[in-house]
Amino acid sequence: MFDVEPIIADHKDVIHDVVFDYYGRRMATCSSDQTVKIWDEDGQGKWNVTSSWKAHSGSIWRVSWAHPEFGQVVATCSFDRTASVWEEVIGEKVSSTNAPTRRWTRRTTLVDSRTSVTDVEFAPKYLGLLLATASADGIIRIYEAPDIMNLSQWPVQHEIANKLPLSCLSWNTSTYMVTQLLAAGSDEAATPTGKVFLFAYSENARKCVKIETVNDITDPVTDVAFAPNAGRTFHMLAVASKDLYIVNLRGVTDATGISKLDIQTIKFSEHNCPVWRVCWNMLATMLISTGDDGCVRLWRMNYNRQWRCAAVLKAEGSGPTYEPAPPTPTLATTASATAKFYKKGTIGNQVPWH
């Protein structure tokens, strides 16, 4: 069962992103009101704002949490053409009864982009403290903090140019097949070409290069998300566009012995409207999508390894609706469908007294 509980965010404008931390006990929101809010869950399961500050001079599109091994660190990106890295600093206790004060400090501002920075995301932990940004100028920039104790230095490690403007990106958390695999999407509507691009680190070129384009998706893309790899021999990428897509990536070897990616795209049109956000659960057994229909849809894989919509959560706060599963024939239903009845006698109206 799913419980829908509204949270009064108190943002003054549209909320563009909501992200949980690694443990799911903290939450960050960002908005066009140029502020970021940090939420903490109390013992009763209620979410309370513990920090709120003006982070940029324009709309804030995305926020991302770093792995907790690197501390309480978030990154934000904005229409003001910058991305910022923030770290939570814990002050001294005012008294023995009160909790120590907490505040978020800007550690650096990344100003390399000349257009709006549309997405920002920290890399998986095994790659170190890396941060990728996507911009409307079509460039992916990958920064690295060489000293995790000094988050003021973030030199650019890679710049990947793309012909189309970029709207979103996602790191692959698995090391299977390809290292440092990165996906990006474009919301450009004028060009009828593929809008999802795959990048990877090339040992020969010593830089990140584009390795594939998903040509089956030609509509503007608003979000991409790699599924966590839980022992699979292939990768799954969820794509939010005019419809919902799941892209399966498998490594194959051609006749010449060259390894490449085999791409299979599956389309889902149940939203009947543009899809805005997609995300996976920890084991990639559930996919969540949101769209212009004001609904959150939960997708599960059935026993035939086909993805089906399992539940629909309404934005108005009403209870969830569940997709009906096809009835499974049982012995009782089979017997009732084939049974025949015969008249054996008549019961009279006179009831004898004893």
Side-chain angles (χ1 to χ4, degrees), residues 20-268:
F20 290 94
D21 72 342
Y22 181 82
Y23 298 108
R25 301 300 302 271
R26 309 191 79 182
M27 181 173 67
T29 59
C30 63
S31 167
S32 279
D33 63 6
Q34 306 174 9
T35 65
V36 174
K37 294 180 184 291
I38 303 297
W39 305 69
D40 287 304
E41 187 182 21
D42 60 19
Q44 288 72 40
K46 301 296 182 181
W47 291 93
N48 303 300
V49 176
T50 55
S51 297
S52 177
W53 71 94
K54 184 178 185 296
H56 290 271
S57 58
S59 297
I60 305 175
W61 303 130
R62 296 293 184 110
V63 59
S64 175
W65 289 88
H67 191 276
E69 179 179 293
F70 306 111
Q72 295 299 304
V73 180
V74 299
T76 56
C77 64
S78 170
F79 181 76
D80 65 4
R81 302 179 296 180
T82 67
S84 296
V85 178
W86 308 82
E87 184 179 19
E88 187 179 42
V89 178
I90 301 178
E92 297 180 357
K93 278 190 175 184
V94 179
S95 64
S96 58
T97 57
N98 296 332
T101 58
R102 297 167 178 254
R103 59 185 177 87
W104 288 82
T105 302
R106 188 199 306 265
R107 292 306 186 189
T108 190
T109 300
L110 309 174
V111 296
D112 300 282
S113 176
R114 296 296 177 262
T115 57
S116 173
V117 183
T118 54
D119 201 357
V120 61
E121 185 173 324
F122 283 102
K125 184 189 70 170
Y126 76 90
L127 293 175
L129 193 52
L130 297 183
L131 180 67
T133 64
S135 303
D137 57 8
I139 298 179
I140 294 176
R141 295 176 175 87
I142 299 178
Y143 302 86
E144 182 178 11
D147 182 7
I148 63 174
M149 303 303 294
N150 179 18
L151 298 184
S152 61
Q153 302 297 323
W154 290 82
V156 179
Q157 297 298 314
H158 305 284
E159 277 196 0
I160 313 169
N162 198 66
K163 294 181 179 179
L164 298 180
L166 299 177
S167 59
C168 52
L169 58 84
S170 176
W171 287 95
N172 184 19
T173 59
S174 172
T175 59
Y176 179 70
M177 290 193 300
V178 183
T179 59
Q180 295 192 31
L181 183 60
L182 189 68
S186 173
D187 58 358
E188 200 266 344
T191 308
T193 58
K195 296 298 191 306
V196 177
F197 315 102
L198 300 174
F199 306 90
Y201 181 77
S202 172
E203 292 288 349
N204 295 329
R206 296 289 181 179
K207 63 179 181 178
C208 289
V209 296
K210 182 166 70 173
I211 58 174
E212 288 289 350
T213 299
V214 182
N215 295 314
D216 294 334
I217 305 175
T218 58
D219 294 307
V221 172
T222 54
D223 197 17
V224 291
F226 269 111
N229 193 300
R232 294 186 311 274
T233 57
F234 62 95
H235 302 304
M236 292 191 300
L237 176 69
V239 180
S241 180
K242 182 181 178 181
D243 297 292
L244 173 66
Y245 296 87
I246 295 179
V247 181
N248 294 325
L249 307 173
R250 289 180 169 85
V252 295
T253 304
D254 59 13
T256 61
I258 300 176
S259 299
K260 62 178 183 178
L261 289 177
D262 177 60
I263 301 176
Q264 178 191 15
T265 305
I266 308 171
K267 177 181 176 181
F268 304 92

Side-chain angles (χ1 to χ4, degrees), residues 300-308 325-328:
R300 290 179 182 273
M301 184 182 290
N302 61 14
Y303 63 94
N304 287 329
R305 302 189 65 81
Q306 296 177 341
W307 288 92
R308 292 289 183 264
T328 303

